[in-house]
Amino acid sequence: MEFIDYYKILGIDKSATTADIKKAYRKAARKHHPDLNPNNKEAEKKFQQINEANEVLSDPKKREKYDQYGKDWQHADAYEQAKQSQGAYQGQGYQGGSAGNPFGGYSGSADFGGQDFSDFFSSMFGGGGGSRTRQTQFRGNDLKAELHLNFRKAAETHKQSITVNGKTIRITVPAGVSNGQEIKLKGYGGAGINNGPNGDLYITFVIADDSDFKRIGNNLYATEEIDLYTAVLGGEIYVNTLSGKVKLKVKPETQNGTKVKLKGKGFPVYKKDGEFGDLIITYQVKIPTGLNEEQKEIFRNLANET
């Protein structure tokens, strides 16, 4: 059997730390796991090699022997005894298959049913061509989804259903969610492998624009037209809010572009019951059109008096 480079199998170099080995193992094992690659013999073989590499490199003592003796690391103790008895080796590290091999050319591996896996791996995982692989647990994949909401619905706490991966999930949407906001539902992602934990589900809210209001943070902004006569003389108008129409007093001689604030009439604050932003109204004075000559004369007289 040709030498299997455990470092190469995990995609790391010899200077890799224990954390590097663990990270590389989980990544490689997930990619080649038989449950994710059904009926793929090559993936199954690769998965077994990955497990074997991890068993050796994650154990400091085994790793030290492997670094020194290569594929024959599991026979290191016997080799040391033979070396002492023969006095023929001088501590540069045994190279399998070289002249004077006290094992008579034994490669430190065996052919189980035609598969290239070592004696050590077979003994650890049940032998018989790798027929009994240790069941490593893997966390399921995280999933992402979008939930589209009407502007007004986002302003109230309500139930909402969302279908992800063919599964319908019913959630409570708190009032005040923002466009682009993301929430996490722990354990609602992909199923774990070998009884591993499920992944998480990340939901991003997409909230439609509203024809009446513009939202910035928790404040709402709206433009309200008033006629020239109300702007000049003052009066009362009705304006829209999220909770319905309210009466608003317009002061005499109100200028175009004047802003007024309706405190607490804005968007609800996320997860803070009873707290709201403000509603800012901008007055837009509407100039009358279609005036007759008598009406125009009135404006001429007013212009001459100012």
Side-chain angles (χ1 to χ4, degrees):
M1 183 192 88
E2 67 175 303
F3 172 63
I4 299 176
D5 187 335
Y6 291 155
Y7 291 100
K8 185 176 181 181
I9 289 293
L10 295 183
I12 56 177
D13 56 40
K14 289 190 175 183
S15 63
T17 64
T18 300
D20 293 334
I21 293 170
K22 182 178 180 180
K23 182 178 180 181
Y25 164 68
R26 292 185 66 84
K27 180 179 179 180
R30 178 185 292 276
K31 179 180 179 181
H32 296 281
H33 196 284
D35 288 353
L36 300 179
N37 300 273
N39 303 318
N40 187 330
K41 295 297 183 182
E42 189 62 31
E44 182 179 351
K45 174 181 175 181
K46 186 75 171 180
F47 179 72
Q48 291 172 319
Q49 291 177 337
I50 289 166
N51 275 287
E52 179 177 355
N54 181 63
E55 286 291 337
V56 176
L57 299 184
S58 63
D59 185 314
K61 291 184 179 179
K62 294 174 183 176
R63 181 181 181 183
E64 181 180 1
K65 292 178 181 179
Y66 174 77
D67 287 345
Q68 185 174 5
Y69 296 103
K71 67 177 182 293
D72 292 312
W73 69 270
Q74 62 265 54
H75 302 292
D77 292 340
Y79 166 65
E80 288 296 336
Q81 293 177 3
K83 184 176 71 171
Q84 291 175 8
S85 64
Q86 294 182 18
Y89 299 91
Q90 300 301 321
Q92 293 302 316
Y94 171 62
Q95 301 296 321
S98 59
N101 182 351
F103 305 115
Y106 176 69
S107 67
S109 62
D111 181 8
F112 294 90
Q115 299 189 46
D116 295 333
F117 305 116
S118 71
D119 290 333
F120 167 73
F121 181 66
S122 297
S123 65
M124 288 295 292
F125 296 99
S131 61
R132 290 190 297 146
T133 304
R134 186 174 66 177
Q135 298 297 297
T136 303
Q137 292 184 334
F138 292 95
R139 181 177 178 276
N141 292 325
D142 290 337
L143 301 178
K144 291 182 178 291
E146 287 186 349
L147 182 55
H148 293 251
L149 296 178
N150 176 278
F151 187 90
R152 307 295 174 112
K153 291 294 286 184
E156 59 184 45
T157 298
H158 65 284
K159 299 286 187 180
Q160 191 82 23
S161 295
I162 182 171
T163 301
V164 181
N165 251 13
K167 182 179 179 181
T168 300
I169 303 168
R170 190 163 176 79
I171 64 173
T172 298
V173 180
V177 293
S178 302
N179 185 48
Q181 181 177 342
E182 184 180 75
I183 63 171
K184 179 176 78 173
L185 299 183
K186 187 173 179 61
Y188 281 84
I193 297 174
N194 297 332
N195 294 319
N198 290 347
D200 300 326
L201 172 61
Y202 291 85
I203 298 177
T204 300
F205 292 101
V206 180
I207 301 174
D209 293 332
D210 189 82
S211 59
D212 292 330
F213 305 107
K214 178 180 180 182
R215 179 185 178 187
I216 301 178
N218 294 314
N219 291 333
L220 296 178
Y221 295 81
T223 300
E224 192 70 31
E225 276 192 352
I226 58 174
D227 58 49
L228 179 62
Y229 315 108
T230 302
V232 173
L233 303 174
E236 293 180 343
I237 62 171
Y238 286 88
V239 298
N240 290 321
T241 72
L242 287 178
S243 57
K245 288 184 177 292
V246 298
K247 186 165 62 176
L248 190 61
K249 287 187 177 182
V250 180
K251 295 180 180 180
E253 301 179 3
T254 293
Q255 301 297 308
N256 186 54
T258 297
K259 297 180 187 296
V260 294
K261 179 192 293 185
L262 302 184
K263 191 169 180 61
K265 290 296 183 179
F267 217 72
V269 180
Y270 182 69
K271 287 191 174 181
K272 291 187 178 181
D273 291 342
E275 292 190 28
F276 296 83
D278 301 325
L279 171 59
I280 292 87
I281 300 289
T282 300
Y283 289 133
Q284 185 176 356
V285 179
K286 184 178 180 181
I287 304 299
T289 59
L291 298 176
N292 57 38
E293 281 302 318
E294 184 179 352
Q295 292 169 327
K296 291 179 182 179
E297 187 61 29
I298 293 173
F299 279 98
R300 293 190 190 104
N301 291 333
L302 288 172
N304 290 330
E305 293 177 6
T306 57

